[in-house]
């Protein structure tokens, strides 16, 4: 059993990660900006006011945690990099820091030509700045996160939606996992399964991974 803090536990990804962790018997703290708005989280979850971009908040929650999950979204481009920097800076202060699991964007994955999906001229402009923000965080972990243990998780770049929990998936690293038809598809529920599997049996330490059917 692990003590898991989920920043952004009220969101689409965070709520499913929280539910999957509870399902497996872990102790879960949901760190959200508005605790009164997440009454739908499973029973037994400790709900606190928390913000992954606040050093004070991270200092309060990190010492007793085994894992910090970052599942934040909906902000400006700098949100994801701010969260990554804050966690790394605070965790470096601790003698036995928890691991970071950072849920990032699928648009940072590489197409068959080795180009990030977010750099495709046809990538939707309305999502490009947030995609660049997620890429900034990944670049930071790869270049500037010495002294901490992290894993960056990318869902499929396009076909990623709420759906069924099947408990099955395949993993990859920097390119999408595709099926026989060339599609990369996954539900939020099965991304949560993949993340909890990674927490319980680490296979991508200080690396990025992706998952799909």
């Amino acid at each position: 059993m692990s003590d898991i803090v989920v920043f952004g536990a009220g969101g689409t990804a965070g709520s499913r990660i929280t539910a999957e962790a509870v399902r497996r018997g872990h102790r879960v703290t949901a760190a959200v900006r508005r605790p009164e708005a997440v009454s739908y989280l499973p029973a037994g979850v400790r709900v606190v006011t928390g913000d992954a971009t606040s050093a004070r908040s991270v200092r309060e929650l990190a010492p007793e945690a085994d894992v910090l999950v970052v599942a934040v979204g909906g902000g400006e481009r700098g949100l994801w990099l701010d969260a990554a920097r804050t966690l790394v800076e605070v965790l470096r202060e601790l003698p036995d820091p928890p691991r970071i699991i950072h849920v990032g964007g699928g648009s940072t994955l590489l197409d068959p030509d080795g180009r990030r999906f977010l750099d495709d001229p046809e990538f939707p402009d309305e999502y490009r700045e947030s995609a660049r923000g997620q890429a900034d965080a990944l670049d930071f972990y790869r270049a500037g996160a010495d002294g901490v243990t992290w894993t960056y998780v990318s869902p499929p770049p396009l076909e990623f939606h709420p759906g069924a929990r099947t408990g099955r998936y395949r993993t990859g690293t920097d390119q999408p996992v595709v099926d026989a038809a060339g599609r990369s598809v996954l539900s939020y529920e099965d991304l949560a399964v993949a993340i909890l599997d990674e927490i319980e049996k680490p296979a991508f330490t200080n690396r990025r991974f992706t998952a799909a059917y």
Side-chain angles (χ1 to χ4, degrees):
M1 180 186 297
S2 295
D3 288 293
I4 301 172
V5 175
V6 182
F7 288 99
T12 307
S15 62
R16 285 155 175 82
I17 294 165
T18 298
E20 182 67 22
V22 170
R23 176 190 182 116
R24 300 191 189 199
H26 297 288
R27 290 182 291 267
V28 184
T29 297
V32 297
R33 293 185 176 182
R34 296 176 55 231
E36 70 278 6
V38 294
S39 59
Y40 50 83
L41 292 177
V45 174
R46 174 187 172 218
V47 180
V48 301
T49 302
D51 180 355
T53 67
S54 164
R56 177 180 178 181
S57 182
V58 176
R59 286 192 183 100
E60 290 175 350
L61 295 170
E64 303 302 320
D66 299 304
V67 181
L68 302 179
V69 177
V70 182
V72 298
E76 300 296 326
R77 173 175 175 171
L79 170 66
W80 295 275
L81 179 57
D82 286 348
R85 282 178 171 162
T86 301
L87 267 67
V88 169
E89 289 171 2
V90 171
L91 297 195
R92 281 175 173 158
E93 302 170 357
L94 302 179
D96 186 21
R99 181 183 181 191
I100 301 169
I101 302 288
H102 190 117
V103 184
S107 58
T108 62
L109 293 166
L110 306 181
D111 66 18
D113 295 323
R115 179 179 60 183
R116 299 180 304 182
F117 282 87
L118 68 92
D119 295 324
D120 188 323
E122 296 184 3
F123 188 83
D125 286 338
E126 62 266 32
Y127 302 123
R128 199 180 300 275
E129 282 303 290
S130 62
R132 286 173 174 161
Q134 293 161 344
D136 292 341
L138 176 58
D139 290 343
F140 171 77
Y141 283 118
R142 286 174 164 168
D146 295 342
V148 303
T149 302
W150 59 272
T151 298
Y152 187 102
V153 187
S154 289
L158 295 174
E159 297 188 70
F160 177 51
H161 309 286
R165 180 192 185 280
T166 71
R168 62 178 179 84
Y169 60 88
R170 294 175 294 136
T171 59
T173 53
D174 289 327
Q175 291 187 314
V177 175
V178 298
D179 60 19
R183 296 174 63 198
S184 184
V185 184
L186 191 70
S187 69
Y188 275 88
E189 288 74 9
D190 282 327
L191 182 72
V193 172
I195 287 171
L196 265 294
D197 287 349
E198 176 64 19
I199 288 173
E200 294 175 350
K201 296 181 179 180
F204 297 96
T205 300
N206 296 342
R207 300 170 64 196
R208 183 252 291 275
F209 82 92
T210 185
Y213 300 125

